[in-house]
Amino acid sequence: RCDYRRFLRALLQREVEQRFENRKYQRIRNASFPQLKYLHELEREELPADGRSLLPEFENLGFIREGRNIVMYGNPGTGKTHIAIGLGIKACMEGYTVYFTTVPHLLTKIKEAKTGKTLQLLESRFRKHDLVICDEMGYVGFDKEGADLLFNMLSTRTGTRSTIITTNLPFTRWEEIFKDKVLCSALVDRLCHKAYMVNMTGQSYRVRETQKLLKNLE
């Protein structure tokens, strides 16, 4: 009888652990990552100085608990998206809800929601995620309506929830994509308030890999 109780207890414990693991991977699936990029896969010594020095601090996920943003800016191919996805996956594994999107895709969803009169529902869902990752800010410009809609959506998270922004443009050039100086200034102010600003300018990983390949062929 005692053995039976131990067996039953062990069986229930395994069930609890399995459900806990299943929830982790369900959160990763729900996050809509375009691919799975883990932090341990980063070649840290090749990261730009800011990324290399701040990453250990980001890994404890304190920025999520504090509702602080991370803005990573710099030329393409320096690890911005890899870091963002890696932090997002770690957050999922530790019980946080995460949503990944590119800024152009997010803007398309916002406009579709406005047309379908479901914008309020989208804003509510967007606001509730513990972490939102908005990749590729600056790759595509916006018209006045798009800029207003994106500003309003991102503003719903200001000061309460964490957002990671990756961009290839310094703030001095954001007016090129938003066109409206006042709106651009207001968005930068909201995104950067108490945010970690990470300069990711450096040599492209892809360029570096190509150079290594060519060298090996010599």
Side-chain angles (χ1 to χ4, degrees), residues 2 45 58 63-64 67 76 107 121 125 141 156 196 198 202:
C2 187
E45 66 283 356
F58 296 158
F63 71 96
I64 298 178
L107 188 54
L121 177 61
R125 289 175 177 170
T156 63
Y196 292 94
V198 189

Side-chain angles (χ1 to χ4, degrees), residues 30-91:
N30 291 342
S32 300
F33 297 117
Q35 51 191 308
L36 299 183
K37 291 177 174 283
Y38 298 91
L39 293 175
H40 71 264
E41 296 173 335
L42 279 166
E43 295 182 20
R44 300 189 181 217
E45 66 283 356
E46 301 290 350
L47 291 172
D50 264 16
R52 194 166 58 248
S53 63
L54 287 169
L55 186 54
E57 183 175 352
F58 296 158
E59 286 180 292
N60 68 27
L61 305 182
F63 71 96
I64 298 178
R65 293 187 289 275
E66 296 166 6
R68 296 180 64 178
N69 295 340
I70 296 174
V71 180
M72 290 185 279
Y73 60 96
N75 55 293
T78 57
K80 299 184 297 295
T81 300
H82 192 146
I83 290 174
I85 292 175
L87 290 171
I89 290 174
K90 182 165 187 185

Side-chain angles (χ1 to χ4, degrees), residues 186-212:
L187 180 62
V188 169
D189 180 66
R190 294 199 177 193
L191 287 177
C192 297
H193 180 60
K194 293 184 179 179
Y196 292 94
M197 309 302 297
V198 189
N199 185 345
M200 293 292 289
T201 302
Q203 186 180 32
S204 166
Y205 173 80
R206 287 179 286 275
V207 171
R208 194 163 56 245
E209 287 299 296
T210 301
Q211 289 174 342
K212 286 180 183 177

Side-chain angles (χ1 to χ4, degrees), residues 89-107:
I89 290 174
K90 182 165 187 185
C92 289
M93 298 294 279
E94 295 195 16
Y96 294 103
T97 57
V98 179
Y99 175 62
F100 179 99
T101 182
T102 63
V103 171
H105 179 69
L106 175 61
L107 188 54

